[in-house]
Amino acid sequence: MGVFRLSRDTDFKCISYSFLKNIQRVSNLHSNIEICGIGSYNKLFFLKNISLEPQKRFDIDPSSYVKNFKKLSFLFHSHCIGAAVPSEIDIFASEEACLDNLIYSVPEKNFCLYDFKLKKAIYFSIE
C-alpha cells in the first residue's frame, strides 16, 4: 500500500485540503469512537454515530443521511482502531450510494479514499 502526500494547496477528488484537516482534527478529538459524515462540494456534515459499538463501526440515522442526499459528493468516517483500509461494509456503502468513501485512520494518521467508480482504494496523508 503506497501512501502519497498532499500539500496545503491541493484538492483531491473535489475534497478540499481544509475538509481533510477538519476531518483529521475531529477524528483525533474523538479518537475513541468512529466519527462519520457526508461531504458536499462546499460543506461537511458531521453525523451522530448511533452504533452500539462506536469504537468498531459507525451507523447513522438514515433520515439524517437522506435529507442531505442531493448535496452529497462523498462519504467520510474514521477508523479509531487500525488502518484506513476500507471494510466490505465501507465498499458496499460507497458502491450503493455511488459516492466515494473517505476514511481517516487515527492511529496511522493517514487517509484512504475508496473510489467507487474505479473500485480502487487510494492511500494518502496530508502535511
Side-chain angles (χ1 to χ4, degrees):
M1 158 173 69
V3 176
F4 68 92
R5 217 164 177 56
L6 291 181
S7 66
R8 294 187 198 306
D9 43 340
T10 303
D11 286 351
F12 185 65
K13 301 261 307 167
C14 299
I15 303 171
S16 71
Y17 183 84
S18 63
F19 281 3
L20 296 170
K21 286 298 284 184
N22 199 13
I23 291 166
Q24 182 182 51
R25 182 185 61 78
V26 172
S27 297
N28 289 330
L29 281 172
H30 302 281
S31 62
N32 60 335
I33 64 165
E34 288 194 6
I35 63 111
C36 53
I38 51 182
S40 72
Y41 290 104
N42 60 1
K43 187 170 182 179
L44 291 176
F45 299 89
F46 287 89
L47 304 174
K48 184 176 181 181
N49 184 347
I50 61 171
S51 171
L52 297 177
E53 296 181 296
Q55 305 82 4
K56 296 180 182 177
R57 60 174 287 136
F58 75 92
D59 292 315
I60 59 171
D61 178 352
S63 66
S64 64
Y65 173 77
V66 170
K67 73 180 179 184
N68 293 303
F69 190 77
K70 291 181 182 176
K71 305 172 191 170
L72 300 184
S73 57
F74 65 97
L75 309 170
F76 68 87
H77 69 282
S78 66
H79 284 177
C80 53
I81 301 169
V85 176
S87 68
E88 287 182 28
I89 294 171
D90 295 337
I91 292 168
F92 177 78
S94 181
E95 291 176 356
E96 283 295 303
C98 296
L99 294 167
D100 292 339
N101 198 343
L102 180 70
I103 304 165
Y104 176 72
S105 169
V106 173
E108 294 188 357
K109 303 200 180 316
N110 62 15
F111 289 90
C112 171
L113 182 74
Y114 179 77
D115 184 314
F116 79 96
K117 289 180 184 170
L118 298 176
K119 297 187 183 310
K120 179 180 177 182
I122 304 161
Y123 297 90
F124 64 96
S125 63
I126 59 176
E127 295 177 346

